[in-house]
Amino acid sequence: MASVNFFLRGKIVDKESTIWVRLRDKDIDISVPVPYLTCKPKEWKDGKCRVSSKKMFESDTETINVRLSKLESEIISRYAVDNPEHESKIWLKEVISPSQKSNAENIYSDNVVSFIEKYIEMKRNQISEATLKIANSTKELIARYVLYKKESNKLYKGLFFKDIDNHFRTDFENYCLQDIYQVSTTYKNLKFLKMMCAIAESHDIETHRNVKTWRFEMDKVLRNTPKSVYLTFEELDKIAQTEMPNDYLDNARDWLLISCYTGQRVSDYMRFTSSMIMEDSEGQKYLEFTQIKTGAKMQIPLLNKVQEVLDKRGGEFPRKISDVKFNLYIKDVCRIAGLDEMIYNGKMMVIEREGKKSITRKVFGEYPKYELVTSHIGRKSFASNFYEIIHTTYLLNVTGHTTEKQLLAYINKTDVEKAKSTAKIFTSLGY
């Protein structure tokens, strides 16, 4: 359940300090200042002003504590309705200061596609790469939906925020189903669209009341979706011991092993160099770097399996290769290593449609395991292999996930595999 707390950052006991608010819930933990409320550290205790009668101005009708109490209630109630997933910090600032309008508010259009385009233009350097990606994909999907509507109805002028109601949602979901989108992908786009409606409303653009009631039961949608594959320790040993026919495959194989024993994203491990390796007074080596996606400063132990790859290459990491080539090469690596077990899962394919433009979608079916290997399998393999061996707290330190819930999304063991691993642990303990 979401919680709201207030605190001060100022340390000078007799100087007014801006009050900050912290919102926490599941994967969200954000703090922003409340620019119109201040308190001296010596007058502050347990999230409140100790001087209960204190006001910001003589003319104020409410004390600071009353305003904080009302603000807390407003944040909790708005959070329950808006359920912001993307740009939650922007959302919180807008709740705290609804009277503070952006200088650019009048340049936003009530046309949804135009609004998202302007949002991307203005926020490009302020939002994460992941948010930018979903913004672009949602904009393109909505643009295709609008074109589809215009083709069937010459009077259709476009999609406007006031038109985004429950009828639109049903029609949009049917369109996505017709275009072979997974329900989870459709929900992801609708959730972003819901956030856009909240931002549009903050700029005095008319929106439909229906959108605030939208809920997305992702757990039910994903319950029967096959989980992504991972490489077991036995398969990794098999890959390491298999001779590759070409140097470029040998190079790709070594990067695959590094990824599976460091647990990092391809954007991070493809930047690894020997200069990032540090050694402590006890001789333990670590990799020190900053994660591209999160900005988190990492220091992870250099495992023996990684050191073996470096020793093979004179202490250096393999040659850098592009993500595209890496994804292609490691499929060949795993094929040559004999990882051809048939698995039910999905892979991206180009679908040709008669009289229509071809589309790329994830198609589920029975595929040999090597065809399902991608650059992200290293992170999934690390999490799955070490989950029942290492305490979650330490595992989080390596992967860089902020919560156990995020980590669990990478754990891809079947119930049988989990049972076997659990049995081995009890056996090792003598039970």
Side-chain angles (χ1 to χ4, degrees), residues 8 10-17 39-45 48-51 54:
L8 299 182
K11 303 299 182 184
I12 303 176
V13 296
D14 203 31
K15 182 180 179 181
E16 290 288 332
S17 176
C39 186
K40 295 177 181 178
K42 70 176 184 179
E43 298 174 346
W44 184 262
K45 185 179 180 181
K48 292 183 179 180
C49 180
R50 292 194 293 185
V51 182
K54 183 172 180 177

Side-chain angles (χ1 to χ4, degrees), residues 264-271 321-323 326 375-376:
Q264 303 306 307
R265 302 176 183 87
V266 65
S267 58
D268 293 317
Y269 64 73
M270 274 295 173
R271 297 183 299 116
I321 52 179
S322 69
D323 294 1
F326 183 60
S375 61
H376 209 56

Side-chain angles (χ1 to χ4, degrees), residues 345-395:
N345 211 288
K347 68 173 185 176
M348 301 304 293
M349 298 178 65
V350 175
I351 300 174
E352 302 292 342
R353 301 182 298 172
E354 187 176 351
K356 292 185 178 181
K357 186 179 178 181
S358 61
I359 55 176
T360 302
R361 295 287 183 270
K362 179 175 280 190
V363 179
F364 285 86
E366 293 278 343
Y367 304 104
K369 189 169 187 175
Y370 65 82
E371 289 187 6
L372 301 172
V373 175
T374 69
S375 61
H376 209 56
I377 201 170
R379 193 159 168 80
K380 295 171 183 175
S381 299
F382 183 92
S384 298
N385 286 329
F386 287 104
Y387 180 64
E388 288 148 335
I389 301 175
I390 298 175
H391 192 281
T392 304
T393 301
Y394 303 128
L395 203 53

